Amino acid sequence: MAREKGQPKDGTRHPRNGLNDLPGNAWMFFTKTILQTSFPSELGHDLRRQHYANKPPRLMQQIIEFFTRSGESVLDPFAGVGGTLLGAGLCGRRATGIELEQQWLDIYLQVCRDAGFEAQETMCGDCLEVLPRLIDKGRQFDAVVTDPPYSPALKKTLCDDRYGRSNRHSPFEAFSASPSDLRNSASFDEFYDRMEVVAGYLLQLLKPERYAAVMIRDSYQHGEYIPASFWVAERFRKVGFQFKGLKIWYQTGAPVRPYGYPFSYVPNIVHHTILIFRR
Ligand SMILES: C[S@@+](CC[C@H](N)C(=O)[O-])C[C@H]1O[C@@H](n2cnc3c(N)ncnc32)[C@H](O)[C@@H]1O
């Protein structure tokens, strides 16, 4: 196929590309706004799926490969069972993961042992307490790639069980009861306020001109769409990040339910928004 005018040559990395190790065609491909991945059964998926919101390591790898070069460092303050940490390992990056619940880090460490992977740096605790300690130590990272809780706990998840949980792999009991869990924020406003504090710390921990990729899922409650990703983006802008755009991760295989049918439009939200910020 003929190259369009101005399109980079396949297979060649631009000599002035200081951001990543990608050849021009891979750089161009990543700038498309849609990413499509399912959950391949690999890298301890059976163990990791105990976490209600684990992410495919190969998806995280694609994001990390765009925003870092080999050997560079990635920070994830909401590490869960390590989608980002494993993704970083897959492409030869160093990573630091903070997670509130030791049980999730234990699963990540078990997956590493089973796969023969060297474990990345992990810290158990509330990131609102751990991040300022990293700032005090003068730590700096080449990228932030993270997947926070998306909102406070929602009353109408799965439409009050109307359509069952047959496609759901994780037990709801897996949620933390800790008040430090951002998911246990009392309201959307409190959740956004706490995300703003996290954003302020991340800005200080990121090297100048580098990027943060933040995954947020919008939701639908009480007859209205809740664009949580827009509100989180606004809070990151408020602390000084530049909002560079977004990518949509289309979660192939997500179940589709007839929520509003045949009376009204109710979306089946089968995507996550990946917000891209630059310091
Ligand atoms: C959406 S999940 C991340 C899943 C992860 N990407 C994975 O692949 O497993 C969000 C995680 O943030 C953690 N979390 C919530 N509040 C936190 C806080 N204040 N500090 C650190 N971790 C927190 C939760 O325990 C949960 O594991």
Side-chain angles (χ1 to χ4, degrees):
M1 199 169 62
R3 258 189 314 133
E4 283 173 37
K5 201 170 172 224
Q7 195 178 332
K9 273 193 203 152
D10 286 4
T12 53
R13 179 169 163 271
H14 196 288
R16 294 180 63 200
N17 172 5
L19 177 61
N20 57 40
D21 298 328
L22 298 178
N25 56 333
W27 175 300
M28 293 284 285
F29 186 79
F30 187 86
T31 60
K32 293 185 182 190
T33 48
I34 307 284
L35 268 170
Q36 190 172 324
T37 328
S38 57
F39 281 84
S41 291
E42 57 169 8
L43 289 169
H45 186 236
D46 281 345
L47 272 177
R48 289 185 293 106
R49 70 200 274 186
Q50 291 174 46
H51 190 293
Y52 63 95
N54 78 86
K55 294 296 170 305
R58 303 252 174 225
L59 169 70
M60 306 318 286
Q61 177 186 356
Q62 287 181 57
I63 300 168
I64 293 165
E65 276 179 329
F66 190 86
F67 292 111
T68 55
R69 301 190 64 181
S70 184
E72 288 192 330
S73 58
V74 179
L75 172 64
D76 180 358
F78 301 97
V81 289
T84 301
L85 305 179
L86 289 164
L90 284 169
C91 56
R93 272 61 163 174
R94 293 172 289 122
T96 299
I98 305 167
E99 167 55 48
L100 189 62
E101 297 282 318
Q102 185 61 46
Q103 59 166 326
W104 303 135
L105 292 178
D106 288 345
I107 288 180
Y108 164 67
L109 296 170
Q110 182 65 47
V111 170
C112 288
R113 279 192 295 275
D114 294 348
F117 274 30
E118 196 180 325
Q120 304 274 9
E121 178 183 39
T122 55
M123 298 168 192
C124 184
D126 178 353
C127 67
L128 284 160
E129 291 171 5
V130 179
L131 292 171
R133 292 208 294 270
L134 294 179
I135 294 169
D136 288 346
K137 285 184 184 155
R139 295 282 300 265
Q140 289 269 280
F141 296 86
D142 296 296
V144 170
V145 177
T146 192
D147 166 39
Y150 310 131
S151 60
L154 297 172
K155 290 198 172 57
K156 290 209 175 237
T157 311
L158 294 186
C159 272
D160 293 336
D161 265 356
R162 199 162 141 202
Y163 300 108
R165 296 179 178 185
S166 55
N167 285 297
R168 220 188 147 88
H169 300 305
S170 311
F172 271 67
E173 307 74 62
F175 291 127
S176 157
S178 164
S180 303
D181 189 329
L182 264 61
R183 190 177 177 277
N184 295 330
S185 302
S187 63
F188 271 96
D189 282 341
E190 183 187 318
F191 171 77
Y192 299 131
D193 288 348
R194 291 163 90 184
M195 281 302 295
E196 184 180 324
V197 179
V198 172
Y201 293 143
L202 295 178
L203 189 73
Q204 296 177 66
L205 286 160
L206 193 58
K207 291 182 186 169
E209 300 189 353
R210 300 307 296 259
Y211 291 86
V214 181
M215 226 185 224
I216 295 284
R217 189 175 182 280
D218 293 343
S219 53
Y220 189 87
Q221 289 284 290
H222 307 300
E224 273 193 331
Y225 192 81
I226 301 180
S229 51
F230 293 7
W231 307 139
V232 170
E234 197 45 38
R235 297 305 184 104
F236 271 64
R237 286 186 67 232
K238 203 170 151 193
V239 303
F241 274 106
Q242 249 187 333
F243 185 28
K244 300 297 287 186
L246 52 83
K247 285 178 81 70
I248 302 293
W249 171 43
Y250 170 36
Q251 195 182 337
T252 50
V256 176
R257 300 190 173 90
Y259 293 127
Y261 179 80
F263 305 110
S264 64
Y265 175 75
V266 179
N268 269 279
I269 302 171
V270 295
H271 75 279
H272 285 61
T273 307
I274 305 167
L275 305 164
I276 312 289
F277 303 100
R278 191 173 195 192
R279 178 176 165 184

